[in-house]
Amino acid sequence: MQKSFRKIAKISLVLVYLVIIAGAIVRVTGSGMGCPDWPKCFGYYIPPTDISEIQWTPEKEFKKGQIVIVNEALQVATDDFESSTNYNPENWEPYTKHEYATFNPWHTWIEYINRLVTVVLGIPMLILFALSFFLFKKDKVITIVTVLTLIVLAIQAVLGKLVVDTNLKPTMISVHMIIALVIMAMLLYLIHRVKDQTVSVKYDKKLSIVLVIAFVASLVQIILGIQVRQFVDVQIDVLNGGMQNQWLQDPSLSFYAHRSFSILVVLLNLFLGYRVYKFNLGYSKIKWVLVIILVEIISGMAMYYLDFPFASQPLHLVLASLLFGVQFYLILEALKSKRSPKTL
């Protein structure tokens, strides 16, 4: 049962990363409001592919909740009816959660696919929830953490609705991202907890302390990066998505803090790599950390010096989430090794 549980947990983790990647693609393509409502899209479970599907036309059947664009505003059908030859406002009510009323089929389907990936994530999570009760007698913590993970996932779904309802308010997007990291950490904890008890690494007190410091530093760096992204999002809106060379013109203090703090992150992780290999401690995943940081630096420099080349921003975000996950798993390995007599 533990092997099955671990496999499903790994599938869930991969899907969390796919959700982050899909969200990054939505952001880079500007598709966040491709579906102006939630959980449906223009009132449909399967979104429209042509503007004609969301325009009022005479002698057409409309379903309750269906959305159309009338005079550059969203209108929601109050009941099932067939339209007459003239538009009757009594059959409609304005969509009041925001004023965004634009249809772009590409943006709509990119956002819709993003939502589908999130729905797919729910399937293995529910299976994980069921399997966890078979492990309850052996390890109650597994069941408790699994239940909590499912609850946090439900909160994440509600936040997804709020992101749309607030017309992509930067703060809401940032909270949405942080909750995704929390889900990722909980799944990694479950994956590690059900792993066989064989310890393949040596405990080293100094390494363990620096691992925690490096993880906290990376988390601070991610938070600073989120603040920088919020600033860039505002600039993009002001400049209508163009003039990329001005997105970081006169940047906020958080940008300079983010750039300078990266030096500390690099130095801490270089020290970890040095200590792991010098004393043969066995933390093989430190290689992943160093490679991720290298590519992260390159993508960050590309955004600043090359004016945000295509995909550099989502790549930077995905790499940050990967770094978070690997460092968190290294801490879990260090904690397990502490309980083993195999110390330095």
Side-chain angles (χ1 to χ4, degrees):
M1 184 60 69
Q2 284 188 221
K3 288 184 179 180
S4 298
F5 184 91
R6 196 162 191 263
K7 286 180 181 178
I8 299 299
K10 285 182 177 180
I11 291 171
S12 299
L13 181 64
V14 170
L15 285 171
V16 169
Y17 276 107
L18 286 178
V19 169
I20 292 174
I21 292 170
I25 293 172
V26 167
R27 182 65 196 89
V28 77
T29 57
S31 304
M33 292 302 291
C35 293
D37 50 329
W38 191 99
K40 295 183 180 180
C41 188
F42 288 100
Y44 292 94
Y45 285 110
I46 299 177
T49 57
D50 190 85
I51 185 68
S52 62
E53 297 178 58
I54 54 170
Q55 289 178 324
W56 180 89
T57 53
E59 299 178 357
K60 178 181 177 180
E61 290 188 0
F62 290 96
K63 299 294 184 181
K64 183 178 180 179
Q66 188 173 334
I67 295 176
V68 296
I69 299 176
V70 179
N71 297 326
E72 298 183 353
L74 297 177
Q75 299 290 333
V76 186
T78 56
D79 210 339
D80 296 351
F81 68 93
E82 182 176 337
S83 59
S84 59
T85 54
N86 296 312
Y87 176 78
N88 184 359
E90 293 183 359
N91 293 326
W92 304 89
E93 61 182 10
Y95 190 82
T96 57
K97 293 181 179 178
H98 57 74
E99 297 179 352
Y100 188 88
T102 302
F103 175 73
N104 180 310
W106 287 105
H107 290 175
T108 294
W109 278 87
I110 289 172
E111 168 59 15
Y112 182 68
I113 291 170
N114 174 42
R115 295 184 185 185
L116 281 181
V117 175
T118 306
V119 171
V120 172
L121 168 61
I123 297 172
M125 285 297 300
L126 288 172
I127 296 173
L128 207 64
F129 172 76
L131 291 177
S132 69
F133 288 95
F134 290 97
L135 300 172
F136 183 76
K137 288 185 178 179
K138 185 175 183 179
D139 191 343
K140 294 180 177 63
V141 173
I142 291 175
T143 306
I144 293 170
V145 174
T146 304
V147 172
L148 289 175
T149 306
L150 196 61
I151 292 172
V152 175
L153 183 62
I155 293 172
Q156 181 75 325
V158 174
L159 282 172
K161 171 178 169 57
L162 293 176
V163 168
V164 175
D165 288 349
T166 57
N167 195 5
L168 307 183
K169 186 177 180 181
T171 304
M172 293 306 304
I173 296 175
S174 299
V175 173
H176 200 52
M177 175 62 192
I178 291 172
I179 296 297
L181 294 179
V182 172
I183 295 172
M184 184 191 308
M186 296 175 85
L187 286 171
L188 283 168
Y189 176 79
L190 290 171
I191 290 169
H192 186 266
R193 191 169 183 93
V194 297
K195 186 181 180 182
D196 63 76
Q197 296 302 309
T198 303
V199 178
S200 58
V201 297
K202 299 176 184 177
Y203 175 69
D204 176 34
K205 184 177 181 180
K206 183 177 291 187
L207 180 89
S208 299
I209 293 172
V210 178
L211 266 175
V212 174
I213 295 172
F215 176 74
V216 172
S218 294
L219 188 58
V220 171
Q221 183 72 337
I222 289 172
I223 293 171
L224 289 171
I226 288 172
Q227 292 176 355
V228 173
R229 194 187 70 175
Q230 288 180 0
F231 173 82
V232 171
D233 286 347
V234 172
Q235 293 296 97
I236 291 172
D237 289 338
V238 170
L239 299 170
N240 293 320
M243 303 173 70
Q244 292 178 221
N245 61 324
Q246 294 187 29
W247 288 1
L248 274 176
Q249 188 175 29
D250 300 323
S252 61
L253 180 62
S254 57
F255 166 76
Y256 296 106
H258 180 65
R259 186 173 64 178
S260 301
F261 204 73
S262 64
I263 298 173
L264 175 62
V265 173
V266 170
L267 291 176
L268 285 170
N269 285 283
L270 284 175
F271 173 80
L272 289 172
Y274 164 77
R275 193 160 184 86
V276 166
Y277 290 113
K278 180 180 179 180
F279 296 104
N280 194 27
L281 299 177
Y283 293 84
S284 60
K285 293 180 180 62
I286 192 65
K287 291 184 291 188
W288 298 10
V289 170
L290 297 176
V291 171
I292 290 169
I293 288 176
L294 175 62
V295 183
E296 184 84 328
I297 291 172
I298 293 171
S299 64
M301 292 175 67
M303 284 190 290
Y304 183 71
Y305 292 107
L306 300 178
D307 301 328
F308 292 86
F310 181 76
S312 59
Q313 195 174 12
L315 175 63
H316 200 67
L317 172 64
V318 172
L319 287 171
S321 62
L322 283 170
L323 179 61
F324 172 89
V326 178
Q327 287 184 320
F328 183 73
Y329 199 85
L330 283 171
I331 290 174
L332 294 176
E333 287 187 328
L335 290 174
K336 179 176 279 190
S337 69
K338 187 177 181 180
R339 296 188 292 269
S340 168
K342 195 176 179 182
T343 59
L344 181 65

